[in-house]
């Protein structure tokens, strides 16, 4: 929050947050910036970037700051609240409550940036002189760039599932105890509530929706109900909902989804995050694609 508000205080109200020469700033800041960039890339192994991390931190900053001030300064003691993890919606919407602090900071940052440009081109006077505005103009330009991405984050996409699915390639079997039917299949994705499986065969399968079935994976027999059957070329995709899980079955699913061992994670061949592609995907998802 200080990083976002400091140039605003100086440009709009004249309060100094940084009193140094431009050469001194470059001497101390530039080597530190390069070193942190190299260290971050080394630790993240190219799977994340400082820019994307800054966007995430910017979105969270107003709310974390409020919590810190409430607890440390105001001594406000609030009970722990469990957030709703099972929220479903088939609509896209914009979370104004989440974005309002960011929109306010973005609004004033744009005003301060415009004032800085006017000062640089001698359109407006500035008490501290034009030389003092250069670093703040660059600072504001960076903040505005980050904030533009940050205010796009509160666009909420449709959520058709109560829990996120995790990709898998586990070999499994479908068991029907009544007909003694056994069908080889493969788990495509799953979580603690259900699974998506695929059957690679051209023969017609004797299954129907709402049928009770057992998904057998690694010795665990998960009681399930078929919710959807989608024929495809060369096989069939089936959606399952788990009806009851004991402790061992639930623990196994957690280790295969939310707590999967790092040694089992697939190695990413394509490293890095393209910020241009991210912006295009956000724009395409919320402004270009029409609702069916």
């Amino acid at each position: 929050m200080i990083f976002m508000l400091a140039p605003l205080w100086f440009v709009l109200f004249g309060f100094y947050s940084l009193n140094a020469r431009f050469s001194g700033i470059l001497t101390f800041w530039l080597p530190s910036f390069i070193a942190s960039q190299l260290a971050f890339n080394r630790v993240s192994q190219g799977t994340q970037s400082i820019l994307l991390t800054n966007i995430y931190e910017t979105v969270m900053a107003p709310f974390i700051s409020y919590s810190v001030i409430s607890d440390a300064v105001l001594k406000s003691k609030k009970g722990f609240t469990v957030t709703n993890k099972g929220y479903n919606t088939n609509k896209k919407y914009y979370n104004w409550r989440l974005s309002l602090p960011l929109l306010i900071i973005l609004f004033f940052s744009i005003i301060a940036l415009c004032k800085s440009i006017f000062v640089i081109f001698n359109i407006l006077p500035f008490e501290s002189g034009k030389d003092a505005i250069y670093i703040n103009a660059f600072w504001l330009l960076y903040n505005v760039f980050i904030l533009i991405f940050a205010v796009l984050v509160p666009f909420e996409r449709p959520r058709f599932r109560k829990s996120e699915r995790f990709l898998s390639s586990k070999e499994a079997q479908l068991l029907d105890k009544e007909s003694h039917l056994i069908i080889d299949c493969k788990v495509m994705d799953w979580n603690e509530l259900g699974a998506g499986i695929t059957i690679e065969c051209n023969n017609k399968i004797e299954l129907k929706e709402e049928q009770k079935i057992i998904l057998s994976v690694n010795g665990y027999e998960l009681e399930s109900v078929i919710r959807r059957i989608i024929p495809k070329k060369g096989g069939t995709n089936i959606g399952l909902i788990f009806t009851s899980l004991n402790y061992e079955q639930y623990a196994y699913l957690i280790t295969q989804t939310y707590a999967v061992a790092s040694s089992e994670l697939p190695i990413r061949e394509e490293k890095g995050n393209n910020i241009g592609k991210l912006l295009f995907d956000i724009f395409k998802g919320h402004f270009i694609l029409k609702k069916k």
Side-chain angles (χ1 to χ4, degrees):
M1 290 299 294
I2 294 174
F3 186 83
M4 289 188 289
L5 296 177
L8 296 179
W9 293 336
F10 177 71
V11 175
L12 296 181
F13 307 108
F15 294 110
Y16 274 89
S17 60
L18 190 64
N19 189 3
R21 295 180 179 179
F22 185 72
S23 58
I25 294 174
L26 289 181
T27 301
F28 286 94
W29 171 79
L30 187 59
S32 173
F33 175 78
I34 295 175
S36 63
Q37 178 75 54
L38 295 174
F40 188 93
N41 291 340
R42 180 67 174 175
V43 171
S44 64
Q45 297 182 353
T47 60
Q48 189 59 280
S49 68
I50 286 183
L51 185 58
L52 289 176
T53 303
N54 287 342
I55 293 172
Y56 171 78
E57 292 176 349
T58 299
V59 174
M60 300 299 298
F63 304 97
I64 294 178
S65 300
Y66 173 77
S67 298
V68 170
I69 293 173
S70 297
D71 188 65
V73 180
L74 303 178
K75 304 299 181 181
S76 175
K77 300 296 182 182
K78 295 184 179 180
F80 178 77
T81 302
V82 179
T83 57
N84 183 10
K85 303 298 190 301
Y87 182 75
N88 290 51
T89 178
N90 58 358
K91 297 180 179 179
K92 295 178 182 179
Y93 68 95
Y94 189 70
N95 193 330
W96 290 99
R97 185 187 66 83
L98 180 64
S99 64
L100 185 59
L102 302 173
L103 289 171
I104 293 174
I105 297 174
L106 176 60
F107 174 75
F108 284 105
S109 295
I110 293 175
I111 292 177
L113 180 60
C114 292
K115 181 180 178 180
S116 300
I117 295 173
F118 290 155
V119 171
I120 291 174
F121 287 96
N122 297 317
I123 300 176
L124 289 177
F126 195 68
E127 293 182 1
S128 300
K130 187 169 65 173
D131 293 339
I133 210 72
Y134 289 116
I135 187 65
N136 287 276
F138 173 78
W139 197 344
L140 285 166
L141 183 63
Y142 178 83
N143 284 350
V144 168
F145 180 74
I146 294 295
L147 284 164
I148 289 175
F149 281 98
V151 297
L152 294 176
V153 172
F155 276 106
E156 296 287 349
R157 64 177 182 177
R159 298 182 182 182
F160 302 105
R161 294 185 177 127
K162 292 184 178 180
S163 298
E164 293 295 328
R165 287 283 180 91
F166 293 81
L167 296 178
S168 177
S169 58
K170 295 283 186 183
E171 297 293 336
Q173 288 182 325
L174 287 181
L175 309 178
D176 187 351
K177 291 186 177 180
E178 294 184 0
S179 62
H180 303 287
L181 179 67
I182 301 177
I183 302 175
D184 293 327
C185 61
K186 179 179 289 187
V187 179
M188 297 185 299
D189 54 62
W190 56 355
N191 53 31
E192 76 279 18
L193 301 179
I197 65 173
T198 181
I199 300 174
E200 299 294 340
C201 66
N202 294 318
N203 299 327
K204 184 178 180 181
I205 58 174
E206 299 178 359
L207 298 174
K208 59 182 181 294
E209 293 184 358
E210 302 304 323
Q211 177 181 344
K212 293 183 179 180
I213 203 79
I214 292 177
L215 177 65
S216 177
V217 185
N218 283 359
Y220 294 91
E221 295 189 351
L222 311 175
E223 296 183 8
S224 313
V225 172
I226 298 176
R227 283 299 170 86
R228 63 182 182 277
I229 300 176
I230 304 175
K232 67 170 188 175
K233 185 177 180 180
T236 305
N237 289 342
I238 298 178
L240 301 176
I241 296 295
F242 300 139
T243 56
S244 61
L245 298 172
N246 59 35
Y247 178 83
E248 289 76 15
Q249 292 170 342
Y250 186 84
Y252 171 73
L253 287 173
I254 294 300
T255 62
Q256 301 302 308
T257 53
Y258 303 96
V260 61
S262 58
S263 59
E264 297 182 15
L265 292 173
I267 299 176
R268 294 185 54 165
E269 296 181 358
E270 184 178 331
K271 294 186 177 181
N273 287 290
N274 190 314
I275 196 68
K277 183 178 184 301
L278 174 65
L279 180 60
F280 176 76
D281 289 342
I282 294 175
F283 184 81
K284 180 179 68 174
H286 297 293
F287 299 104
I288 298 178
L289 296 181
K290 300 293 183 180
K291 185 177 179 181
K292 293 183 179 180

